[in-house]
Each structure stands twice: as C-alpha cells, then as structure tokens.
Amino acid sequence: MQKSFNQFIEFVKGIYPEYPDIIPLHDPRFIGNEEKYLLDCLKSNFVSSVGEYVGKFEKLCAEYTGSNYAVASVNGTAALHISLLLAGVKPGDEILTQPVTFIATANAISYTGALPTFIDVDMDTMGLSPGKLRDFLSSNTFKGKDNFTYNKKTKRRIFACLPMHSFGFPCKIDEILKICNEHNLVLIEDAAESLGSLYHEKHTGLYGKFSTLSFNGNKIITTGGGGMILTSDEYLAKKAKHLTTQAKVPHPWEYSHDEIGYNYRLINLSAALGCAQIEQLEHFVHEKRILSANYKTFFQQTDIQYFEEPANSRSNYWLNAVILKDRKERDDFLKFTNEHGVMTRPIWELLNKLPMFNTCDCSDLTNANWLADRVVNIPSSVPITDYYKNKNK
Ligand SMILES: Cc1ncc(COP(=O)(O)O)c(C=O)c1O
C-alpha cells in the first residue's frame, strides 16, 4: 500500500508542477476575460447590487444549462433557502435529503423551520438512492386526507425531497422525480457541485421545480461567492428575484416593500467574474474529464479504487474520489498525502451524526456509512495545460 501512496504523490506532483509546497484540492482558474470584465465594473462605477453583469450572468447560466430562468443570489445556501421557501415549505415540515452532503443543504432546510430526514445514498452515485427513498416512503409514511405524505413516526408532513449530485456525479434524478410525483413531494435539486454534469444528456438542475448552483471559490467556476436558482416557471423566477432583493416594489425613486425579503443579491463585481468564468466552463469540463481519464489509468495499476462516473451520465468531475479498503487505510492515506504536500480530504461527517441533526429521522444508512469510512477526495483543479500557457503569453 505504501508503494501506491508514494506513486500517487509522484503522479499528482507531475500533474500540478506549478505548486511548490502544497497541491490544493481545487483551485480556481482565472485565465479568460476576468480582469477585463472586473475593470469594466470599476470604470463604470457599478460594483454593487446594480449593474448589467448580473442580468448577463443569469442569461448565460440559463443558456448553458438549458433552464428557462436563472436568478442569481449571494451564495448557494441562500439560493437553497429561497427555493425551499418558494416551494412552500412550512415550519415543522420534513424534507427528505441525503446524509452525504455539505452542511449547507441541511442548514437551508433548518432556516425555514423544517427538519431534514436522511435517506441513504447509492453506492454508484453517492447521491440520494431512489431505491431507499421508495422503501422509506412505503414503510414509514402514510397519505393524509389533504393528499400530503406524512411520517408515521413523527406525524410531520413530508413536503419535499432535496437530493444532491455529490462531487459532480449525477444521482438517479429521473427515478427520484417519478417517486416524488407519486408521493406529492416537491423536488428541489442541490446542484451546487454539478454545474456542467449531464444525466441522460440533460443538465442536472433541470429535473426539480427548483435547483440551485454555487459559485463558491472551490467550485468548477467561481464568482468569489455566489449562487443561482434555476426554474422553468416564470412566476416563481420573478418571485425569487423579488425575495432575494429585499422584496422591493419596482419604482424609479420610491422605496416600498410588500413582504419580508432578503438581501441575497449577487453583486455586479461577482457577476462580472461569473460571466468570464462561464465562458470557459465547457473547456474546464473537458480538461477535468481528461484528468479523470488519467487518474483512472493510474489507479488501475494500484490497489486503490477510483470512483468513476455513474451510468447514463457525464460528470463534470468537480472533485475526483477514490475508495480505500477500510477506515484505517483511509486515515493512513489522508495522513500520508497531507504530510507529503498533496491535499486530500474525507467526505463530510454524515449530517445525521452532527449534534444539530442527530435526532432527525432517517432511513437505513448502510451505504452512507460504508462510503464515509472509505471515500477520499483528491486534487482536482483544472490542470494548467499548454492551452493556458499559450493563452497567457
Ligand atoms: C452540496 C452543496 N450545497 C450547498 C452549498 C452551498 O453553497 P455556498 O457555499 O455557495 O453557500 C455547497 C457549497 O459550498 C455545496 O457543496
């Protein structure tokens, strides 16, 4: 095993020779029109909540994903919060989500006064399992007179389902949607990590009533901080814009607000960065898929298993992942790589184990527990190839 660990360090250093000390997990790349568009904001004086880049970025996101509407927000967590509110989530509701996700997914649920209920993930996607979802719904819920689904144990209404495409690998979102329709559940997709990923050739984020993206600094493209709500519904898109902009009634000079809104706007500077980044997105995905193919070939010669994209999908390979033999080997790998200048990390502590959520209901979580003991993310930044070197000259 030690031999594989050493070979891995050498292999990663060969991919990222530009980092003398520590090779990060995911660094952004600013090699397009970023400076030009940012300077444009400064020169125009529109750096804050007003300016033409916000609308432009929304349009580019809608066009890229194929969504009818895209509404920008200050970050992905805010996008989730607004989506849940507009979906109609009420305090005391339960939202079915996965324990293998970043804390923001469950936090956003909590902001609405609802509670997460954790459903296991599939081994081949690391995203919410339609099989486990169906099992949970058929054994643990009943249909109320109001046609909503209720949890037999807690008696709470189960209102929505919020799966996440882990590390950019699409979950079986079409099956999940079918089950949601059968049980009168609203589907909201947390697509924070999967911009550029396709499922059955359709962009992730197009299956839910809402879906959300994140442009945090570690994502495939970044605006520094930012998020986006995707929806096919014009009315809901307008409501999302209204709620994220303090619910101000549009008027040239009067200030009036017709409900409690949120200061969740994306600023023009961030949107300008986003416009430059999204122009390079297909190229980033292309480069990341070459990296993935190289990782696959490398790991075939070792005793470490490389996690490949699931069937029927094109992953953006936001974060590459490997599966170690057991928790001990995982910890040995984490220690060795981090001590030798290669940043790696385990998947998040399962959300059902955190103090805020450890009393929430959950399905059998065999797969999530198995994966949590073994999965490690490895460096996945877009490699600086000759393409970029020449561009920078
Ligand atoms: C799965 C998931 N959901 C939500 C978020 C929240 O996004 P943000 O950091 O932009 O608030 C992130 C990333 O940060 C994420 O990875």
Side-chain angles (χ1 to χ4, degrees):
M1 210 25 98
Q2 193 67 28
K3 188 166 159 238
S4 295
F5 290 6
N6 270 318
Q7 285 171 338
F8 172 69
I9 299 291
E10 290 316 307
F11 184 73
V12 177
K13 286 190 172 165
I15 298 170
Y16 300 108
E18 66 278 17
Y19 295 99
D21 301 322
I22 295 173
I23 296 170
L25 207 57
H26 203 286
D27 246 7
R29 299 286 181 241
F30 302 119
I31 319 175
N33 287 317
E34 286 84 357
E35 277 184 34
K36 183 167 174 253
Y37 296 167
L38 285 171
L39 272 177
D40 197 30
C41 289
L42 295 180
K43 285 182 189 153
S44 73
N45 244 7
F46 285 109
V47 294
S48 190
S49 45
V50 180
E52 61 178 18
Y53 280 106
V54 177
K56 273 190 190 166
F57 186 44
E58 288 174 335
K59 191 163 172 283
L60 288 173
C61 278
E63 276 169 12
Y64 179 84
T65 56
S67 177
N68 288 352
Y69 302 95
V71 179
S73 64
V74 67
N75 54 49
T77 314
L80 276 172
H81 183 197
I82 295 297
S83 299
L84 288 158
L85 287 176
L86 286 178
V89 174
K90 295 281 176 281
D93 281 344
E94 286 182 19
I95 311 298
L96 305 177
T97 190
Q98 56 198 62
V100 177
T101 182
F102 181 54
I103 189 71
T105 318
N107 277 346
I109 293 171
S110 305
Y111 301 161
T112 67
L115 291 98
T117 294
F118 298 107
I119 305 294
D120 205 4
V121 293
D122 275 329
M123 297 285 270
D124 56 345
T125 67
M126 293 195 265
L128 196 134
S129 162
K132 297 287 185 95
L133 177 65
R134 198 179 278 290
D135 288 351
F136 180 86
L137 286 166
S138 54
S139 316
N140 298 296
T141 66
F142 65 94
K143 184 66 79 57
K145 286 201 184 99
D146 54 6
N147 205 31
F148 285 114
T149 296
Y150 285 82
N151 187 322
K152 273 186 197 163
K153 192 159 66 179
T154 63
K155 307 286 181 291
R156 291 194 191 99
R157 180 173 76 152
I158 300 179
F159 185 74
C161 180
L162 178 48
M164 197 276 280
H165 304 285
S166 304
F167 312 126
F169 301 112
C171 63
K172 293 162 194 149
I173 195 71
D174 54 349
E175 282 180 58
I176 295 172
L177 175 61
K178 192 163 170 277
I179 299 167
C180 285
N181 288 340
E182 286 163 18
H183 291 266
N184 194 20
L185 303 175
V186 179
L187 176 65
I188 301 166
E189 282 175 84
D190 185 343
E193 305 183 349
S194 66
L195 180 60
S197 299
L198 311 176
Y199 188 65
H200 285 293
E201 288 169 26
K202 185 166 148 182
H203 207 288
T204 55
L206 295 186
Y207 292 80
K209 186 163 187 177
F210 295 95
S211 76
T212 60
L213 307 174
S214 164
F215 306 111
N216 184 35
N218 64 349
K219 294 296 183 290
I220 187 161
I221 63 167
T222 184
T223 58
M228 194 70 70
I229 300 168
L230 304 179
T231 178
S232 60
D233 186 311
E234 185 182 1
Y235 170 77
L236 291 174
K238 282 191 178 143
K239 279 289 283 184
K241 193 61 163 177
H242 191 59
L243 272 191
T244 51
T245 53
Q246 300 279 31
K248 183 179 181 297
V249 181
H251 192 278
W253 59 85
E254 276 174 7
Y255 265 79
S256 183
H257 305 261
D258 57 7
E259 62 185 308
I260 292 178
Y262 297 82
N263 184 10
Y264 280 176
R265 286 172 292 207
L266 186 72
I267 60 168
N268 204 43
L269 276 172
S270 294
L273 200 53
C275 287
Q277 287 267 286
I278 202 166
E279 287 170 358
Q280 301 163 83
L281 178 53
E282 256 322 284
H283 184 74
F284 288 172
V285 175
H286 175 75
E287 290 291 336
K288 284 164 83 64
R289 291 182 62 80
I290 293 174
L291 171 65
S292 150
N294 289 336
Y295 267 142
K296 183 181 166 189
T297 310
F298 168 77
F299 282 111
Q300 272 164 354
Q301 295 143 29
T302 71
D303 30 24
I304 300 170
Q305 189 191 334
Y306 177 67
F307 192 91
E308 283 183 65
E309 68 191 350
N312 307 315
S313 66
R314 176 189 86 156
S315 174
N316 67 0
Y317 280 101
W318 171 54
L319 284 188
N320 288 277
V322 290
I323 302 180
L324 281 302
K325 195 164 75 23
D326 51 29
R327 196 176 183 99
K328 157 127 192 7
E329 200 178 280
R330 180 202 80 163
D331 290 345
D332 290 347
F333 182 73
L334 287 166
K335 188 164 184 297
F336 188 86
T337 48
N338 283 288
E339 282 176 0
H340 286 80
V342 173
M343 200 188 270
T344 59
R345 63 156 210 220
I347 56 176
W348 312 275
E349 183 166 5
L350 297 183
L351 298 194
N352 60 299
K353 297 196 171 162
L354 300 178
M356 313 79 85
F357 301 123
N358 63 10
T359 55
C360 293
D361 200 14
C362 40
S363 76
D364 151 65
L365 297 178
T366 313
N367 296 343
N369 283 310
W370 192 95
L371 291 165
D373 278 345
R374 292 166 179 81
V375 174
V376 173
N377 291 125
I378 57 177
S380 301
S381 312
V382 172
I384 310 272
T385 58
D386 291 343
Y387 170 85
Y388 283 122
K389 284 181 202 143
N390 294 336
K391 231 181 158 214
N392 253 3
K393 275 182 191 158

